[in-house]
């Protein structure tokens, strides 16, 4: 399945999410927990001296890398190839899928195991592989849960199954896999582990995503907790790594900084259980390492952001710190965004990759509270990018309402003419008096209508501050 | 010290008593307060909706209105932050950009100005009531002012200030967000009000009339009894009992 989730219009998705009490409670408690853990591991950790300095370093590394992306991509490609790996640049999702299909078909592979990867969700790789007769199994526990639950979609980029609780997972395991035990996480995990073990041994091809690719050494770094990625990258004979073209670091030195920022920001861990460096070193006499390595570098619309005001969106290291503090995400959850990239970064990235036709509402699904910008470990000005999207949307990129354009024009005129403003202020109480009851407006006309659907609007004051101020000043002058 | 009031369009239209309280507070602190008559609106509704050119008209009006000011002080962190955004709007117009920078440099939110510029924390105010405080997003995150309101409130006699759970979460106002994304805004303001109720405070204090209009509008719609007041009203309050004062009809207190 590609980047898009569902076919319902935005407000229907929002409505459904808002009425999903369980999901909402799960989101709120996850946010509260993750926020606390992140703060403890970042601003609260004295061993870092000053978290802000780390953020500055992260921002600098990402900016430098993206400004020199062509250089580092070439370097990565050369160093990966020098170690015996194959590199393929895919301009589109289709190109990436076709290449991977060909690799798999050439190996006559029937069984593929995967580690967690958002970019393979983005390009719809599983369906592409199933279409050529492959059996694809997700080995990340959360992705595994979603996959066996009739291909449910991720609702969070780090914790894809955040919208499910252990009872729901137990029921899914029972229904789909004949599970007989309880909802205890240990028992659920042990069951999945057993099922996955078989698959790891059977698989001919292993596919992973990529947290960071180290340009100068040709290494793919994977940041994981479950250990499944190590099985995926060790057991099958053929290895395929799929990466978004911006997921690159110059050297291990920068990798160190970014892994620190990622682990602490994503889950409040100083370091995840595994940080795996995967290099395509082919040892002729090795019996247990993969025989063939492929690195698929996906553009998929990313280059549209290069050299534009949106370039910093490509600095993202997918930690979801912005998602975890977003008050909109808190109430509508991930699926309502209609994209596998949700929350503030999703609202910025999805329209870049998928256009305003599909994702035009997302930049407006933010109160611009800037909690995202404050949380971002590489200092992407997320709320500013949302405003930039709105600017593009109303100036030709999208379809703003004609009434909105007109009212903004009127606003511009009114806000640059003191006499007009004073006239409007003077007239407002009388004009609104038919709607006013006990100094409040419960059912406002025109543009006030959506406001008064859920709240009262204050009646415009009949008092005139300007007049009061003049008299007050005059009085003070007289007193002297 | 000469202080130019930037009272905000919202205060002028709906909350003139806040502008008046602010004037009196600053005068008591020996500021020479003036009110530039050319001021209208900072332009945020247009800017945040993506209408840059319409927002620029508002910005030019304000830059001109406050041209001669020494300090610009406003009872809204959000509107102050908008002034600080002006230079970015005129990136390709050196003359306006320079003037925008000058305005940004001399603009302060009210609490920030009193505490950080005037160096005063105790205004001799008294407000015997149990209250909680809503930290507005733009004041804390865009202006970076997290302490000034609390310093000022800590000296208000009789005021019992209780912490608000998840105070860092937005109240759901967000300017045009509140009318474009009504169902989401509703959930956000409802959670905010739930947390306010949990504190059992009689009064909710804030420093931004945008947020307060949203929260109060929802409280009124739900028929709840929590009073919503701007911090300028608290700081200018010296005689009467707090909760009693809050129950007064504030309209007509002006003229």
């Amino acid at each position: 399945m590609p980047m898009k989730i569902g076919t319902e219009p935005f407000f229907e998705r929002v409505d459904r999410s808002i009425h999903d009490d369980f999901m909402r409670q799960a989101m709120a408690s996850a946010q509260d927990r993750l926020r606390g853990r992140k703060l403890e591991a970042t601003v609260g950790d004295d061993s870092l001296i000053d978290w802000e300095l780390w953020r500055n370093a992260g921002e600098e590394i990402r900016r430098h890398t993206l400004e020199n992306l062509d250089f580092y991509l070439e370097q990565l490609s050369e160093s990966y190839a020098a170690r015996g790996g194959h590199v393929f640049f895919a301009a589109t999702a289709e190109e990436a899928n076709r290449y991977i299909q060909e690799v798999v078909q050439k190996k006559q592979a029937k069984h593929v195991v995967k580690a967690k990867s958002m970019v393979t969700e983005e390009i719809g790789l599983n369906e592409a592989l199933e279409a050529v007769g492959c059996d694809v199994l997700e080995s990340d526990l959360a992705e595994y849960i979603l996959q066996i639950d009739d291909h449910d979609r991720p609702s969070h980029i780090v914790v894809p199954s955040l919208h499910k609780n252990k009872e729901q997972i137990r029921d899914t395991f029972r229904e789909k896999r004949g599970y007989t035990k309880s909802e205890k996480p240990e028992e659920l995990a042990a069951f999945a582990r057993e099922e996955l073990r078989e698959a790891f041994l059977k698989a001919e091809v292993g596919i992973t995503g990529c947290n960071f690719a180290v340009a100068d050494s040709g290494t793919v770094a994977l940041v994981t907790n479950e250990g499944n990625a190590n099985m995926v990258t060790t057991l099958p004979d053929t290895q395929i790594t799929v990466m978004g073209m911006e997921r690159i670091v110059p050297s291990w030195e920068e990798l160190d900084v970014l892994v620190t920022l990622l682990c602490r920001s994503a889950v409040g861990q100083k370091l995840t259980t595994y940080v795996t460096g995967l290099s395509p070193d082919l040892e002729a006499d090795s019996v247990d390492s993969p025989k063939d390595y492929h690195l698929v570098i996906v553009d998929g619309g990313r280059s549209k952001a290069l050299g534009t005001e949106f370039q910093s969106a490509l600095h993202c290291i997918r930690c979801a710190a912005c998602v975890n503090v977003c008050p909109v995400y808190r109430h509508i959850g991930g699926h309502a965004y209609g994209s596998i990239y949700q929350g503030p970064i999703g609202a910025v990235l999805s329209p870049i990759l998928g256009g305003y036709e599909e994702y035009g509402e997302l930049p407006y699904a933010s109160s611009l509270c800037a909690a995202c910008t404050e949380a971002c470990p590489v200092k992407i000005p997320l709320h500013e990018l949302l405003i930039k999207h709105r600017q593009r949307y109303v100036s030709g990129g999208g379809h703003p309402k004609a009434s909105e354009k007109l009212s903004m024009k009127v606003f511009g005129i009114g806000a640059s003419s003191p006499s007009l403003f004073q006239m409007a202020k003077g007239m407002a109480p009388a004009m609104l008096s038919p709607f006013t009851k006990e100094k409040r407006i419960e059912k406002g006309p025109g543009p006030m209508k959506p406001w008064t659907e859920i709240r009262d609007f204050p009646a415009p004051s009949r008092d005139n501050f300007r007049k009061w101020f003049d008299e007050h000043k005059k009085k003070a002058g007289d007193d002297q | 010290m000469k202080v130019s009031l930037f009272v905000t369009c919202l205060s002028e239209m709906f909350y003139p008593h806040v502008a008046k309280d602010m004037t009196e507070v600053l005068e008591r602190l020996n500021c020479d307060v003036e009110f530039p008559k050319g001021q209208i609106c900072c332009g945020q509704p247009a800017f945040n909706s993506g209408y840059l050119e319409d927002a620029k008209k508002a910005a030019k009006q304000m830059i001109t209105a406050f041209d001669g000011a020494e300090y610009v002080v406003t009872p809204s962190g959000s509107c102050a932050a908008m002034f600080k955004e002006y230079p970015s709007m005129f990136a390709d117009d050196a003359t306006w950009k320079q003037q925008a920078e000058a305005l940004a440099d001399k603009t302060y939110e009210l609490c920030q100005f009193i505490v950080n510029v005037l160096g005063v924390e105790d205004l001799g105010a008294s407000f015997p009531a149990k209250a909680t405080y809503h930290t507005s997003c733009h004041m804390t995150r865009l202006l970076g002012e997290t302490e000034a309101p609390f310093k000022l409130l800590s000296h208000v006699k009789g005021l019992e200030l209780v912490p608000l759970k998840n105070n860092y979460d937005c109240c759901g106002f967000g300017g045009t967000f509140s009318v474009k994304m009504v169902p989401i805004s509703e959930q956000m303001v409802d959670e905010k009000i739930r947390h306010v109720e949990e504190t059992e405070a009689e009064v909710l204090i804030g420093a931004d009339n945008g947020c307060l209009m949203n929260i109060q509008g929802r409280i009124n719609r739900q028929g709840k009894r929590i009073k919503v007041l701007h911090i300028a009203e608290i700081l200018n309050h010296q005689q009467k009992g707090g909760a009693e004062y809050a129950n007064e009809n504030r309209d007509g207190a002006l003229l």
Side-chain angles (χ1 to χ4, degrees):
Chain A
M1 267 170 273
M3 195 166 94
K4 189 162 173 58
I5 297 180
T7 50
E8 294 168 289
F10 176 73
F11 279 104
E12 282 177 29
R13 297 197 303 263
V14 167
D15 188 60
R16 196 153 47 84
S17 300
I18 280 173
H19 291 98
D20 185 345
D21 290 343
F22 167 73
M23 181 278 293
R24 293 192 46 196
Q25 206 204 327
M27 294 297 147
S29 71
Q31 273 201 340
D32 293 344
R33 199 173 59 242
L34 286 166
R35 187 196 297 256
R37 281 193 351 208
K38 185 211 166 194
L39 288 177
E40 232 170 85
T42 55
V43 285
D45 186 347
D46 293 341
S47 72
L48 292 176
I49 313 293
D50 184 352
W51 175 244
E52 279 309 302
L53 298 178
W54 286 85
R55 288 180 80 209
N56 291 344
E59 182 193 20
E60 209 180 301
I61 291 167
R62 292 304 285 152
R63 173 170 297 136
H64 169 83
T65 309
L66 267 296
E67 277 171 1
N68 300 281
L69 189 62
D70 49 349
F71 170 81
Y72 287 116
L73 278 173
E74 202 175 316
Q75 193 187 22
L76 171 68
S77 166
E78 279 168 13
S79 57
Y80 193 86
R83 292 184 137 187
H86 306 279
V87 180
F88 180 74
F89 283 93
T92 62
E94 293 72 34
E95 277 184 34
N97 287 335
R98 206 173 314 127
Y99 177 81
I100 297 165
Q101 282 173 333
E102 280 165 18
V103 171
V104 168
Q105 281 174 317
K106 220 178 278 171
K107 302 280 169 190
Q108 297 184 326
K110 288 286 159 220
H111 304 284
V112 175
V113 279
K114 284 180 69 203
K116 181 176 175 300
S117 150
M118 291 308 291
V119 70
T120 60
E121 288 272 356
E122 178 188 319
I123 64 175
L125 178 61
N126 290 13
E127 291 72 21
L129 288 174
E130 281 161 9
V132 294
C134 274
D135 183 26
V136 185
L137 189 70
E138 295 286 352
S139 69
D140 173 78
L141 183 55
E143 292 280 9
Y144 171 78
I145 292 164
L146 296 183
Q147 188 185 25
I148 66 170
D149 194 8
D150 300 327
H151 301 279
D152 194 3
R153 306 303 310 276
S155 64
H156 187 281
I157 52 176
V158 173
V159 196
S161 62
L162 193 65
H163 57 289
K164 291 188 187 303
N165 70 3
K166 51 186 195 284
E167 286 77 19
Q168 288 170 316
I169 296 166
R170 175 201 61 203
D171 294 345
T172 303
F173 279 18
R174 282 182 180 167
E175 191 190 324
K176 308 284 181 188
R177 284 289 199 275
Y179 177 67
T180 52
K181 293 191 175 164
S182 79
E183 69 283 357
K184 273 191 201 144
E186 297 82 357
E187 290 180 3
L188 291 167
F191 176 79
R193 194 183 160 96
E194 224 163 277
E195 291 230 325
L196 289 170
R197 216 25 82 122
E198 298 281 315
F200 286 132
L201 291 168
K202 211 161 53 178
E204 299 104 340
V205 176
I207 299 181
T208 70
C210 165
N211 288 103
F212 303 103
V214 185
D216 71 350
S217 71
T219 309
V220 169
L222 299 170
V223 179
T224 64
N225 268 321
E226 294 167 20
N228 61 306
N230 290 43
M231 305 293 271
V232 171
T233 55
T234 316
L235 293 169
D237 269 356
T238 300
Q239 275 306 308
I240 304 174
T241 299
V242 188
M243 65 179 274
M245 70 177 204
E246 80 287 12
R247 309 301 295 276
I248 198 165
V249 286
S251 73
W252 284 71
E253 219 171 293
E254 291 83 13
L255 177 70
D256 181 8
V257 176
L258 292 183
V259 167
T260 299
L261 290 167
L262 174 61
C263 299
R264 290 171 186 259
S265 301
V267 280
Q269 283 176 289
K270 288 181 180 166
L271 209 54
T272 46
T273 316
Y274 301 93
V275 177
T276 309
L278 182 67
S279 308
D281 292 307
L282 298 175
E283 294 163 41
D285 53 349
S286 164
V287 288
D288 56 0
S289 74
K291 307 282 180 281
D292 205 7
Y293 287 89
H294 298 264
L295 180 62
V296 180
I297 302 174
V298 181
D299 180 331
R302 286 162 175 77
S303 56
K304 283 187 279 185
L306 286 175
T308 74
E309 67 263 51
F310 296 111
Q311 182 161 312
S312 64
L314 301 179
H315 295 178
C316 176
I317 59 171
R318 302 289 191 274
C319 70
C322 62
V323 181
N324 297 340
V325 297
C326 177
V328 171
Y329 177 83
R330 182 181 183 85
H331 292 290
I332 67 173
H335 291 166
Y337 286 84
S339 164
I340 59 162
Y341 299 117
Q342 61 294 117
I345 186 62
V348 170
L349 203 56
S350 307
I352 295 174
L353 301 181
Y356 291 132
E357 278 308 321
E358 296 277 15
Y359 303 106
E361 293 97 348
L362 296 191
Y364 294 94
S366 163
S367 64
L368 304 178
C369 75
C372 46
T373 302
E374 183 183 57
C376 180
V378 293
K379 298 178 82 167
I380 303 170
L382 287 155
H383 75 282
E384 291 174 16
L385 295 183
L386 291 170
I387 296 176
K388 301 263 182 226
H389 265 310
R390 297 176 187 187
Q391 285 173 3
R392 261 202 197 186
Y393 188 86
V394 301
S395 56
H399 309 287
K401 282 189 190 154
S403 60
E404 180 187 287
K405 278 186 111 157
L406 179 69
S407 61
M408 286 304 168
K409 194 134 263 153
V410 172
F411 171 86
I413 295 166
S416 50
S417 164
S419 56
L420 263 182
F421 174 65
Q422 281 313 302
M423 196 172 80
K425 194 210 161 307
M427 280 162 58
M431 281 178 64
L432 289 168
S433 69
F435 304 94
T436 307
K437 222 168 48 184
E438 290 173 15
K439 302 212 162 69
R440 20 170 133 148
I441 298 168
E442 288 181 4
K443 247 188 173 154
M448 228 182 259
K449 198 166 162 269
W451 175 279
T452 54
E453 270 170 36
I454 64 157
R455 2 168 161 67
D456 292 350
F457 199 80
S461 176
R462 289 176 188 275
D463 289 341
N464 187 325
F465 174 74
R466 291 177 191 234
K467 205 167 139 206
W468 175 86
F469 189 82
D470 282 346
E471 284 168 11
H472 171 75
K473 276 295 204 195
K474 193 166 164 282
K475 192 165 161 270
D478 292 346
D479 288 348
Q480 270 173 14
Chain B
M1 186 181 289
K2 198 174 107 183
V3 171
S4 299
L5 296 180
F6 160 30
V7 299
T8 78
C9 59
L10 216 52
S11 292
E12 227 190 310
M13 290 287 263
F14 303 106
Y15 309 103
H17 53 273
V18 170
K20 171 189 164 265
D21 285 328
M22 170 182 169
T23 308
E24 290 176 351
V25 163
L26 289 170
E27 283 179 342
R28 211 174 302 130
L29 295 168
N30 296 320
C31 294
D32 176 13
V33 180
E34 62 132 21
F35 179 83
K37 292 214 159 61
Q39 65 182 281
I40 303 179
C41 168
C42 66
Q44 201 170 170
F47 181 77
N48 284 355
S49 305
Y51 293 87
L52 184 58
E53 290 310 313
D54 299 311
K56 273 186 187 172
K57 288 184 195 153
K60 285 181 176 175
Q61 177 69 31
M62 290 304 235
I63 291 169
T64 310
F66 288 97
D67 187 30
E70 189 184 341
Y71 288 99
V72 176
V73 179
T74 178
S76 160
S78 189
C79 303
M82 189 63 220
F83 271 20
K84 295 190 182 287
E85 188 67 42
Y86 283 178
S88 79
M89 294 164 64
F90 296 103
D92 46 9
D93 187 333
T95 317
W96 280 107
K97 185 168 191 266
Q98 201 183 4
Q99 294 183 65
E101 276 164 358
L103 176 59
D105 288 346
K106 62 190 178 187
T107 299
Y108 295 85
E109 183 280 329
L110 176 65
C111 303
Q112 198 176 36
F113 180 75
I114 297 172
V115 173
N116 302 340
V117 178
L118 299 180
V120 180
E121 291 182 11
D122 187 350
L123 299 183
S126 126
F127 202 101
K130 183 172 175 178
T132 191
Y133 179 80
H134 168 63
T135 45
S136 293
C137 303
H138 287 179
M139 180 148 155
T140 52
R141 300 202 180 99
L142 303 189
L143 286 188
E145 186 53 70
T146 54
E147 292 177 355
F150 292 102
K151 284 181 179 165
L152 292 169
L153 291 175
S154 73
H155 293 281
V156 174
K157 284 175 204 70
L159 186 74
E160 183 198 346
L161 197 67
V162 287
L164 182 61
K165 193 184 164 201
N166 286 19
N167 66 336
Y168 41 73
D169 273 335
C170 170
C171 70
F173 175 58
T176 50
F177 173 80
S178 61
V179 287
K180 266 182 181 283
M181 295 281 156
V182 172
I184 306 175
S185 175
E186 178 183 13
Q187 299 306 316
M188 288 161 73
V189 70
D190 278 355
E191 184 176 11
K192 186 60 70 186
I193 293 170
R194 275 202 302 282
H195 291 319
V196 172
E197 284 184 301
E198 283 160 17
T199 67
E200 296 180 349
E202 304 152 88
V203 180
L204 172 68
I205 303 168
D208 211 308
N209 279 326
C211 317
L212 298 184
M213 183 166 99
N214 175 49
I215 302 172
Q216 177 160 42
R218 184 66 178 165
I219 285 178
N220 288 352
R221 177 61 58 93
Q222 293 176 330
K224 293 187 167 149
R225 300 201 56 82
I226 305 151
K227 294 290 160 187
V228 178
L229 293 173
H230 190 278
I231 192 166
E233 299 178 70
I234 306 288
L235 299 177
N236 194 32
H237 184 258
Q238 291 183 304
Q239 299 94 23
K240 290 171 281 184
E244 188 188 321
Y245 165 88
N247 278 324
E248 271 178 20
N249 177 3
R250 296 286 292 137
D251 272 3
L254 205 56
L255 287 172

